[in-house]
């Protein structure tokens, strides 16, 4: 049963996820014409709601609804357009009792999404905008702090190089999370932002060294789903064909402490996690 957060916490117990061995799936619902692997498929609100319900039936713990693509160079949409895309979908899914998160970098969009029933803000801008913190506090909603080297994640590909990608990412999310918790945000999830302004080697290093992120003590969400680096590693060009490669990357992340996986193919991940958790109880 999902319960509202009652106190400042940085673990998943606020949502009834008690065991540290529990890994949860966040199903991706892109209500966009231009997302990199499923653009245009769920722009129609009825199709989007149907897909959201399908993701839950397949084992998603939450559905992450987004109305603006973050793919490299994607055109930014107006706040009204983003809201027109996502609010009807969130209203219906939340009304069904689905745990909805909202994928946005814009405080105004996050606020309307929360008023429509979203229970978690997935801030792909990494809480750079102080208004996002204010809104999360005002509505007592927890936040995913994702690392992107730029405030607009669709421009992250313009970023060139890190001193030390793992140290830079850990420092960024640690600083943002600490400030948000101090301001009264009820809970924080951190995310290395795989693929955002990161080379193949950067993404591999972030997964290999994920324990440095989990060591912060916040639940870690990882989103490798269908991204170019898994396609490159696996030799798969077509983004829609990268789910098997995605699962390999995600299980490597789970082995290093990831608790939430943001995925397109929920059914396949549910199968993989059942086998994983039956075999690997050491985490
Ligand atoms: N990746 C994407 C979008 N939102 N949010 C979090 N927290 N972590 C991620 O890794 C992440 C994210 C990009 O994937 P997708 O939603 O499939 O594509 P698009 O941005 O083109 O809609």
């Amino acid at each position: 049963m999902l319960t509202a957060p009652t106190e400042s916490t940085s673990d998943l117990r606020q949502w009834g996820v008690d065991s540290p061995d529990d890994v949860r799936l966040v199903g991706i619902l892109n209500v966009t014409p231009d997302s990199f692997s499923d653009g245009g498929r769920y722009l129609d609100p009825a199709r989007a709601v149907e897909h959201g319900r399908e993701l839950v039936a397949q084992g998603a713990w939450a559905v992450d609804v987004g109305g603006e693509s973050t793919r490299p160079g994607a055109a930014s949409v107006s706040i009204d357009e983003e809201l027109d895309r996502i609010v009807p979908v969130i209203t219906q899914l939340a009304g069904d009792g689905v745990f909805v998160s909202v994928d946005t970098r814009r405080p105004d969009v996050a606020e309307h999404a929360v008023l429509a029933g979203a229970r978690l803000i997935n801030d792909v801008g990494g809480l750079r905008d102080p208004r996002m913190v204010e809104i999360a506090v005002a509505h007592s909603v927890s936040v995913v702090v994702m690392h992107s080297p730029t405030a607009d994640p669709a421009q992250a590909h313009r970023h060139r190089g890190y001193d030390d990608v793992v140290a830079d990412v850990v420092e960024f999310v640690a600083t943002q999370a600490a400030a948000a918790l101090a301001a009264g945000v009820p809970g924080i999830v951190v995310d290395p932002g795989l693929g955002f302004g990161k080379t193949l080697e950067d993404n591999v290093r972030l997964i290999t060294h994920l324990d440095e992120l989990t060591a912060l003590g916040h639940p870690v969400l990882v989103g490798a789903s269908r991204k170019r680096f898994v396609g490159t590693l696996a030799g798969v060009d077509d983004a829609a064909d990268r789910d098997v490669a995605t699962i390999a990357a995600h299980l490597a992340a789970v082995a290093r402490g990831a608790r939430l996986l943001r995925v397109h193919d929920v059914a396949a991940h549910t199968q993989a996690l059942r086998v994983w958790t039956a075999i690997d109880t050491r985490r």
Side-chain angles (χ1 to χ4, degrees), residues 27-83:
I28 299 171
L29 184 52
N30 286 321
V31 192
T32 60
D34 56 347
S35 287
F36 76 93
S37 85
D38 55 2
R41 289 192 66 185
Y42 309 113
L43 199 51
D44 169 49
R47 282 280 298 125
V49 170
E50 187 190 323
H51 187 57
R53 290 177 179 146
E54 197 172 56
L55 294 173
V56 172
Q58 291 172 347
W61 166 74
V63 174
D64 189 37
V65 181
E68 182 186 59
S69 172
T70 61
R71 89 183 146 72
S76 105
V77 296
S78 70
I79 289 178
D80 285 346
E81 175 71 32
E82 198 177 342
L83 286 171

Side-chain angles (χ1 to χ4, degrees), residues 193-282:
L194 297 176
F196 289 98
K198 288 149 189 130
T199 63
L200 186 150
E201 291 73 24
D202 291 337
N203 292 306
V204 168
R205 283 201 67 211
L206 283 165
I207 297 176
T208 308
H209 295 274
L210 200 72
D211 53 330
E212 294 181 36
L213 200 57
T214 53
L216 293 176
H218 308 293
V220 173
L221 181 150
V222 166
S225 201
R226 298 182 181 172
K227 288 184 179 169
R228 178 179 298 278
F229 80 96
V230 290
T232 305
L233 288 170
V236 181
D237 274 350
D238 190 345
D241 291 338
R242 294 177 185 157
D243 290 315
V244 174
T246 296
I247 289 172
H250 280 164
L251 291 182
V254 169
R256 291 161 179 82
R259 300 286 307 283
L260 299 169
L261 301 174
R262 183 180 178 278
V263 310
H264 295 90
D265 190 341
V266 170
H269 276 81
T270 297
Q271 285 188 15
L273 280 178
R274 280 188 188 139
V275 175
W276 176 270
T277 44
I279 294 170
D280 188 20
T281 51
R282 287 162 298 143

